[in-house]
Amino acid sequence: MDQKTTIRNNWTKEEIEEIYHQPLLELIYKASTVHRKWHDPSEVQISTLLSIKTGGCPEDCSYCGQAARYHTNIKVQALLPTETVIAHAQKAKDSGSSRFCMAAAWREVRNNRDFDRVIDMVKGVNELGLEVCCTLGMLTEEQAIRLQEAGLYAYNHNLDTSEQYYEEIISTRTFDNRINTINNVRKAGITVCSGGIIGLGETHRDRISMLLTLATMPKHPESVPINALARVAGTPLEDNEKVDTWEMVRMIATARIVMPSSMVRLSAGRIEMSETEQAWCFMAGANSIFTGERETLLVTPNPGVSEDMQMLEKLGLKPMKVKENSCC
């Protein structure tokens, strides 16, 4: 049977546990095999993430340096001018990116002039022929429809962690709030980008539970970012231990097996990984990374464009091109 017809949305926790806890090299082998059935293993999607509004967020996400209540060195930045954002998007495209994501440190989208400006940004980036992505916090179905009509291709809204552990990390919104936003995005016909963070103090069961939530959605997220905690000074989690690379590899491999058609993105934490460690993540099924001219991922350090391109060339990988009509 063609395995491309076997996407499952009825995984059980026990099944994912069995996959996750396999001997690591066996898990990597199986994930790599699945990856090659569904994707070109020589291609990696290059995505650029730009913070269009930084800091001052009223949320209390324990990992985030943009929360107004924490004393960090992150400077608050008002919403960038539209022309500045478009210029960054053009530069990202010229550097090999096929997706451009705009992030605003908002709790939720409000129907005001700032949102009108974001709509204009989406239209402008869409006209460049890039996949346009936004992460703006919670939004209603009506707001999602406005974004879709402007040309938005994807909306990022991470689960962050398991439903059971969620209240340990965030108290200013609920896990159900996250799910509601994802549902609103789906109803509007926008693709979903949703994953999580490891290294928050969660257990292996929490990680498996988060993957279970994603893998049993009626439709899997088209993009699944796997982040390692970026420890930001001044946040409650600043003293957490660095995430072991093999833990990232195990998460990526499990995500690849249970969500075979999704793009699995190696996201935050790459700055602390060697090229060899990142290569293991690609072998395990990661086929997307964030890069940026500012060498930051929102407000934390990240490898720069030239460094990433050199790494991909060394590994025999190439940037994925935008698929025709993906932005319309």
Side-chain angles (χ1 to χ4, degrees):
M1 181 185 294
D2 182 357
Q3 291 200 24
K4 286 196 175 183
T5 65
T6 60
I7 287 181
R8 290 182 53 192
N9 305 84
N10 63 342
W11 293 96
T12 67
K13 194 165 190 176
E14 292 72 25
E15 287 175 318
I16 298 179
E17 283 178 339
E18 184 177 351
I19 293 168
Y20 180 92
H21 287 298
Q22 289 180 88
L24 185 61
L25 293 182
E26 182 68 13
L27 174 60
I28 293 170
Y29 171 74
K30 290 180 178 177
S32 182
T33 301
V34 170
H35 183 63
R36 280 158 172 72
K37 288 183 181 293
W38 287 84
H39 305 274
D40 182 343
S42 70
E43 288 187 340
V44 174
Q45 184 185 52
I46 308 298
S47 302
T48 296
L49 177 62
L50 177 68
S51 180
I52 59 173
K53 185 271 178 185
T54 306
C57 182
E59 301 272 36
D60 68 351
C61 308
S62 299
Y63 55 81
C64 186
Q66 299 197 67
R69 67 192 67 203
Y70 305 139
H71 300 291
T72 66
N73 293 322
I74 293 166
K75 295 180 180 178
V76 175
Q77 168 197 281
L79 191 65
L80 291 174
T82 301
E83 56 271 20
T84 300
V85 173
I86 303 303
H88 279 291
Q90 181 64 61
K91 192 167 184 179
K93 181 180 179 181
D94 294 341
S95 298
S97 289
S98 60
R99 175 176 289 195
F100 189 76
C101 189
M102 296 174 282
W106 292 334
R107 167 179 163 76
E108 60 197 348
V109 174
R110 298 183 182 278
N111 295 314
N112 55 23
R113 279 185 285 184
D114 280 351
F115 185 42
D116 293 339
R117 289 170 59 192
V118 170
I119 294 294
D120 289 338
M121 293 174 192
V122 171
K123 291 177 180 177
V125 176
N126 185 52
E127 288 172 0
L128 296 178
L130 288 163
E131 289 183 0
V132 196
C133 177
C134 280
T135 178
L136 312 169
M138 295 182 288
L139 79 168
T140 65
E141 184 179 350
E142 291 72 25
Q143 291 164 340
I145 290 170
R146 280 194 68 191
L147 288 165
Q148 189 275 334
E149 290 174 344
L152 191 72
Y153 178 76
Y155 195 82
N156 168 259
H157 205 63
N158 289 332
L159 298 181
D160 289 343
T161 189
S162 70
E163 183 175 7
Q164 296 77 17
Y165 193 64
Y166 191 84
E167 291 182 358
E168 299 296 322
I169 301 301
I170 304 163
S171 70
T172 49
R173 73 168 88 174
T174 67
F175 191 82
D176 283 345
N177 290 149
R178 298 269 180 187
I179 299 297
N180 288 341
T181 290
I182 292 171
N183 289 339
N184 289 337
V185 168
R186 277 281 180 228
K187 290 174 187 175
I190 300 169
T191 67
V192 171
C193 174
S194 187
I197 308 169
I198 66 172
L200 303 174
E202 77 287 346
T203 65
H204 290 291
R205 289 185 66 84
D206 287 315
R207 296 174 186 178
I208 291 163
S209 178
M210 182 188 74
L211 290 176
L212 177 67
T213 299
L214 295 168
T216 54
M217 288 179 174
K219 186 175 183 181
H220 294 162
E222 284 79 2
S223 179
V224 180
I226 304 296
N227 299 274
L229 173 67
R231 297 159 294 168
V232 179
T235 63
L237 303 184
E238 64 175 310
D239 294 324
N240 280 27
E241 292 184 5
K242 175 184 176 295
V243 172
D244 183 84
T245 298
W246 298 119
E247 297 293 299
M248 284 288 284
V249 170
R250 189 174 291 279
M251 278 292 287
I252 287 167
T254 306
R256 170 52 66 219
I257 291 171
V258 299
M259 292 174 281
S261 67
S262 301
M263 304 295 296
V264 178
R265 181 170 294 127
L266 173 58
S267 296
R270 286 201 304 123
I271 194 68
E272 295 190 87
M273 287 184 179
S274 66
E275 288 185 346
T276 302
E277 290 170 323
Q278 293 180 69
W280 276 106
C281 292
F282 296 131
M283 180 62 72
N287 60 343
S288 180
I289 59 172
F290 274 121
T291 193
E293 62 186 82
R294 293 178 170 180
E295 299 188 353
T296 59
L297 187 61
L298 293 183
V299 295
T300 57
N302 193 64
V305 178
S306 60
E307 185 180 348
D308 280 334
M309 291 303 176
Q310 290 172 17
M311 175 185 68
L312 293 183
E313 184 176 3
K314 190 178 298 183
L315 297 177
L317 301 173
K318 60 189 178 186
M320 184 181 296
K321 294 181 179 179
V322 178
K323 297 179 178 61
E324 288 188 21
N325 300 322
S326 67
C327 301
C328 303

